Amino acid sequence: MEDKKKYAWLSYIIMGSAQIMKGEYIKGIFLLLVEVLTIVFGIPYFAHGLWGIVTLGETKFHYNEKGIAVFDHSIFLMLQGIISILLILIIIGIYIYNIKDAYKAKEEKKITLRDKIDRNFHYIFMTPGILALIFFILLPIIFTVLIAFTDYSSPYHLPPRNLVNWVGFRNFKELFGLKIWNETLSGVFVWTVTWAILATVTSFFVGLMWALIVNSAGVKIKKLWRTIFIIPYAVPGLISMLIMRLLFSGPGPINDFLEHLGLQRIGWLTDPHIAKITLVLINMWLGAPYFMALMTSILTNIPRDLYESSDIDGATAFQKLRHITLPMVLYSTMPLLISSFAYNFNNFMLIYAVTDGGPVNPNYRYAGHTDILISWIYKMTLNQQQYHMASVVTILIFLMIAPIVAYTFTRSKSFREEDLI
């Protein structure tokens, strides 16, 4: 017990010392190396990173007496600060592990390196993934959140020419307080929710209808019909979207055909209401084949005796659809239906490729009639360089969609009864 305490107290100062004294040389050398690298390279880097994320720089862009540009880049300093904080947390975790491991008694049985690798294989296998998760997913999320509390925007606060400043909750107040921002947010949000619901529901039920038709007993050459219905899903989506944009354009083939019949041309992509309907129809064309293929396999797994019993009871086709087919299909597809809603909520590609958010809405700021939240964010960043407001809207998207998806998913029968399957 005294040896264990001696090793532990020594590890408070020199990481890995207890492991080396216990004969665990590889582990001890690794921990000692972490401490040495932290002292030699980490402390200066962390100090500069923490200073940078607090101040976002102090030196404005200027040329020194030698004609060399001197400046602090606020965004690079913020990134360095975030990386510093993440690395500090990782090192603290390693330090805590070092202390706890020092209290463990030395194993009497000699363990080979191969045995140690086998015993800790799950940790070794998961470590690269966890590090990738931290620096490629968590870091950008933290960066986006922090940008929302700055004035990072064009034309007066773009590095390296200008410094970026912390502004607290000012951007949130402007988004909800200023009429031009508030009206845009409310209008785009209502259309985004409407679009996500319509796009999901139409694709789902049209796919179900196709699957029921193809799988009905009276239909011949079912393989041919399945192939025809699945073609829109087999063609790359972007190509289909661009073709649809050409077909529904003002001088496009569809309007030419209508004019040939003596009808007026329709503003498929220029009238606000018709453009929204057109987008829903195009999405239905692209999404229904996926649900049809999914429903086909689910329908074949529904017990036939359920339908036979309903026939004996005199159930109609609609009653069988309502009380047998639909509940069984929803039970199996509810998680996919929820994920499809989340996907359509952020379906940037279709909006961008077909209408580019148009037609123009003069009452909106940087958004058109068919823009959804994600395409509005795209325009604010790539076109207008309003990064601060785009980050605020991004946070709002997460706060709106994450609870809805999580609640709906956890309330579904397939989630609650998954342990019984």
Side-chain angles (χ1 to χ4, degrees), residues 302-325:
I302 298 177
R304 305 309 304 174
D305 55 352
L306 293 177
Y307 293 105
E308 294 172 359
S309 300
S310 63
D311 289 334
I312 295 174
D313 294 336
T316 63
F318 178 76
Q319 289 174 328
K320 287 187 286 186
L321 172 65
R322 179 183 175 185
H323 296 288
I324 299 176
T325 305

Side-chain angles (χ1 to χ4, degrees), residues 36-37 49 59 68 82 117 124 143 161 194 211 233-234 238 255 291 334 339 376 388 402:
V36 172
L37 291 176
T59 305
I68 300 175
I82 298 172
I117 293 175
I124 298 172
F143 176 73
R161 179 63 62 178
T194 306
Y233 188 68
L238 180 60
N255 274 333
F291 282 106
M334 184 55 68
S339 62
W376 183 32
H388 60 324

Side-chain angles (χ1 to χ4, degrees), residues 50-58 74 77 164-166:
L50 295 177
W51 168 84
I53 198 171
V54 171
T55 64
L56 296 181
E58 296 175 349
S74 300
L77 290 174
V164 175
N165 306 296
W166 294 110

Side-chain angles (χ1 to χ4, degrees), residues 361-420:
N361 189 333
N363 298 319
Y364 286 178
R365 188 170 180 84
Y366 310 133
H369 279 283
T370 59
D371 267 315
I372 57 177
L373 290 172
I374 193 67
S375 63
W376 183 32
I377 291 172
Y378 175 85
K379 289 182 177 180
M380 282 194 289
T381 53
L382 272 295
N383 298 343
Q384 307 297 331
Q385 296 180 311
Q386 301 296 308
Y387 303 105
H388 60 324
M389 300 304 293
S391 296
V392 174
V393 178
T394 302
I395 294 173
L396 295 177
I397 288 178
F398 173 78
L399 294 177
M400 288 183 291
I401 193 66
I404 294 173
V405 173
Y407 175 79
T408 310
F409 182 73
T410 53
R411 297 292 295 176
S412 64
K413 287 185 178 181
S414 55
F415 177 83
R416 288 181 291 174
E417 301 176 11
E418 63 179 356
D419 293 334
L420 304 176

Side-chain angles (χ1 to χ4, degrees), residues 248-320:
F248 285 101
S249 63
I254 294 179
N255 274 333
D256 286 345
F257 178 72
L258 292 176
E259 191 175 46
H260 180 73
L261 296 177
L263 303 174
Q264 292 184 346
R265 291 177 175 267
I266 299 175
W268 299 103
L269 304 179
T270 55
D271 182 273
H273 300 293
I274 297 178
K276 293 177 179 179
I277 297 173
T278 303
L279 285 172
V280 173
L281 293 176
I282 294 174
N283 182 79
M284 183 178 67
W285 163 262
L286 297 172
Y290 166 76
F291 282 106
M292 186 208 69
L294 183 65
M295 306 295 182
T296 300
S297 60
I298 294 174
L299 290 175
T300 56
N301 291 326
I302 298 177
R304 305 309 304 174
D305 55 352
L306 293 177
Y307 293 105
E308 294 172 359
S309 300
S310 63
D311 289 334
I312 295 174
D313 294 336
T316 63
F318 178 76
Q319 289 174 328
K320 287 187 286 186

Side-chain angles (χ1 to χ4, degrees), residues 24-259:
E24 300 174 341
Y25 299 110
I26 296 178
K27 186 190 298 183
I29 292 173
F30 170 75
L31 294 172
L32 181 60
L33 184 62
V34 170
E35 183 174 7
V36 172
L37 291 176
T38 301
I39 294 173
V40 176
F41 300 104
I43 292 178
Y45 182 84
F46 298 156
H48 187 263
L50 295 177
W51 168 84
I53 198 171
V54 171
T55 64
L56 296 181
E58 296 175 349
T59 305
K60 294 184 178 181
F61 186 94
H62 67 279
Y63 292 95
N64 59 16
E65 61 277 3
K66 296 181 180 180
I68 300 175
V70 180
F71 59 90
D72 286 333
H73 198 296
S74 300
I75 300 305
F76 290 169
L77 290 174
M78 180 186 293
L79 286 172
Q80 184 180 345
I82 298 172
I83 294 172
S84 299
I85 293 173
L86 293 176
L87 289 176
I88 289 172
L89 293 176
I90 292 173
I91 292 172
I92 290 174
I94 295 175
Y95 180 78
I96 294 173
Y97 167 79
N98 159 71
I99 300 299
K100 289 184 176 181
D101 188 72
Y103 278 99
K104 293 181 180 179
K106 179 181 178 181
E107 297 182 2
E108 299 296 332
K109 182 181 177 181
K110 187 176 181 180
I111 305 297
T112 63
L113 178 61
R114 182 174 181 179
D115 292 335
K116 290 182 179 180
I117 293 175
D118 290 340
R119 180 185 300 177
N120 300 287
F121 179 76
H122 51 293
Y123 293 114
I124 298 172
F125 187 76
M126 291 173 60
T127 298
I130 293 174
L131 293 176
L133 177 69
I134 292 173
F135 290 102
F136 293 104
I137 297 180
L138 183 59
L139 190 151
I141 291 175
I142 296 174
F143 176 73
T144 301
V145 172
L146 292 181
I147 288 296
F149 298 92
T150 68
D151 55 6
Y152 182 28
S153 61
S154 174
Y156 303 114
H157 299 284
L158 283 181
R161 179 63 62 178
N162 305 104
L163 293 174
V164 175
N165 306 296
W166 294 110
V167 296
F169 288 92
R170 189 182 74 185
N171 298 327
F172 292 86
K173 294 178 180 178
E174 289 183 357
L175 185 64
F176 291 101
L178 296 181
K179 182 179 179 181
I180 185 64
W181 285 110
N182 183 273
E183 186 173 352
T184 306
L185 176 64
S186 58
V188 174
F189 172 72
V190 170
W191 161 237
T192 302
V193 175
T194 306
W195 152 256
I197 294 174
L198 290 177
T200 303
V201 171
T202 53
S203 298
F204 179 84
F205 282 102
V206 171
L208 176 60
M209 181 188 68
W210 287 355
L212 290 172
I213 292 174
V214 170
N215 285 277
S216 61
V219 175
K220 306 299 182 182
I221 52 175
K222 296 182 179 180
K223 292 183 178 180
L224 175 62
W225 291 112
R226 288 196 188 101
T227 303
I228 293 174
F229 284 140
I230 206 68
I231 286 177
Y233 188 68
V235 177
L238 180 60
I239 295 177
S240 298
M241 295 172 196
L242 294 177
I243 291 175
M244 289 294 180
R245 180 171 182 167
L246 176 64
L247 291 175
F248 285 101
S249 63
I254 294 179
N255 274 333
D256 286 345
F257 178 72
L258 292 176
E259 191 175 46

